[in-house]
Amino acid sequence: IIWRWKVMKKLIIAATLAALAMTSAAMAAPLRDPQPGDLKANANYGFDQKEGGRSAKSRLTGGDVTYVLNNRWDIQYVNNYTKGDNPNKINENYLVGNYRFTPYLSAFAGGSYVKTETYNTTKSYGYQVGLKGQLPLAARWQGFASVGVGDDVNTYEVGVGYDITPNWDAHIKYRSSSVDVDNYDDDVKGWQVGMGYKF
């Protein structure tokens, strides 16, 4: 048990440093100054997408919805859908709880559901844990980043968001997923632009 704790401690420290490094470099824009009861939705459009080593279609690629429970916790649903130029389709879904350590760093953990449609269809249920960071860059600009590790999918993303109004924002990000399920073992990645609205 002590050995496992030491290994987990090193992994947590390494993941924290990776998230902070990505955040300081500059991600759908997270809530700024989250308050209990806030609800925010982001929608993303993917371009210059890759599915494995092949091109993927530029299209609506999903988004996320976040609900703030209290000063430390929120719950989030995330969807990312990639459709290759070949018939391959990879649909990633996550339901996670986020815990904010500081206004700039949070950890998340939850369940994943991945559906891959290639030569046959596979559905896989799993988990993902990770870290998220955000950093104000200017009055209306913020950088954001996340890294997630799971049994089916490992992900990372990095981007920048701009507050258009107190409720509307726009963002651009680069996202990569390494998907490994029964009939599919490849990467889906590319650029996404999107809009967010806080209700």
Side-chain angles (χ1 to χ4, degrees), residues 16-173:
T16 301
L17 293 173
L20 289 172
M22 286 188 288
T23 304
S24 63
M27 234 178 159
L31 275 163
R32 228 187 248 236
D33 188 30
Q35 300 298 315
D38 282 352
L39 177 66
K40 184 177 184 205
N42 291 301
N44 301 316
Y45 182 85
F47 65 98
D48 194 23
Q49 300 282 293
K50 299 287 184 189
E51 183 270 314
R54 304 161 295 278
S55 294
K57 297 186 184 301
S58 295
R59 61 183 308 280
L60 184 66
T61 55
D64 59 80
V65 178
T66 303
Y67 180 72
V68 180
L69 298 170
N70 56 44
N71 292 332
R72 291 287 183 184
W73 288 95
D74 56 64
I75 189 167
Q76 184 177 51
Y77 168 74
V78 180
N79 172 255
N80 194 75
Y81 181 76
T82 306
K83 187 174 182 181
D85 285 339
N86 56 14
N88 290 353
K89 299 173 188 173
I90 296 87
N91 191 352
E92 305 167 52
N93 298 271
Y94 307 91
L95 182 62
V96 299
N98 296 303
Y99 179 80
R100 284 181 295 283
F101 298 109
T102 73
Y104 309 112
L105 182 66
S106 62
F108 67 89
S112 65
Y113 166 70
V114 180
K115 181 179 179 183
T116 57
E117 297 179 49
T118 56
Y119 57 88
N120 67 350
T121 299
T122 298
K123 299 175 184 179
S124 180
Y125 297 90
Y127 67 88
Q128 192 173 68
V129 298
L131 292 167
K132 296 181 182 183
Q134 63 190 79
L135 186 67
L137 302 175
R140 293 190 175 201
W141 293 90
Q142 68 172 320
F144 58 95
S146 70
V147 59
V149 178
D151 55 346
D152 292 329
V153 186
N154 297 325
T155 60
Y156 75 86
E157 63 181 20
V158 61
V160 64
Y162 177 76
D163 294 334
I164 301 167
T165 71
N167 296 92
W168 286 98
D169 64 69
H171 58 267
I172 183 167
K173 67 178 181 175

